[in-house]
Amino acid sequence: MARAKRTPGGIAIVILPDQRYTAERRAQYLAKFGQHVPGFATWQGVLLPRILGTLELFQASAGLDVPVVWVNLTLRAKGAEGWFNFAPYINGRANVVVQEITAELRAAAPHRDISQFTQAGLRDWLNTFYGEQNLLDVAWEGWVDD
């Protein structure tokens, strides 16, 4: 962020959700956090957001006019488990959503300043946002996992 203050044109903060969505990971998240997040049991394309790194970036952005972009890349392919197992992705299916969320975040932030978010405030906003994105995720309709 210190460098961004000296960079012509500035920077943007990009939020990348956890892309390794599997039925097993979803079940683990659901067991651990399901009762705390309304509607999480219905989420199909994303897992719960991890916020601490995002919160640190927001706090460090104080005094900067930083746009925030949410990028969700979800890959689904049969037998695609493992970091170096790329073969299934050749015939897999990808869903990519890129959305600027600066205005929405500022509207929810204390004093319309994203650097003022508390951990609880950002967590609640992101959980709601992810839940809404899940409702809009129609890219996977009709997809059948074998």
Side-chain angles (χ1 to χ4, degrees), residues 28-121:
Q28 290 171 351
Y29 275 56
L30 189 58
K32 188 171 183 181
F33 305 110
Q35 71 273 17
H36 303 295
V37 182
F40 179 56
T42 67
W43 294 15
Q44 298 297 316
V46 294
L47 297 173
L48 287 170
R50 297 180 181 175
I51 67 160
L52 294 181
T54 302
L55 183 63
E56 288 180 17
L57 284 172
F58 284 6
Q59 290 171 343
S61 74
L64 296 174
D65 184 21
V66 180
V68 181
V69 178
W70 184 72
V71 178
N72 187 26
L73 168 62
T74 308
L75 299 171
R76 286 200 184 171
K78 296 175 185 173
E81 284 298 307
W83 284 102
F84 296 106
N85 183 18
F86 300 113
Y89 291 109
I90 294 169
N91 295 311
R93 186 169 170 187
N95 181 39
V96 181
V97 177
V98 179
Q99 178 179 348
E100 183 173 349
I101 58 174
T102 312
E104 294 93 332
L105 277 165
R106 286 184 180 153
H111 312 292
R112 300 188 55 82
D113 180 357
I114 65 170
S115 72
Q116 299 298 311
F117 262 115
T118 63
Q119 183 174 341

Side-chain angles (χ1 to χ4, degrees), residues 75-78 91-94 139-146:
L75 299 171
R76 286 200 184 171
K78 296 175 185 173
N91 295 311
R93 186 169 170 187
W140 300 120
E141 287 182 8
W143 179 261
V144 178
D145 292 322
D146 289 339

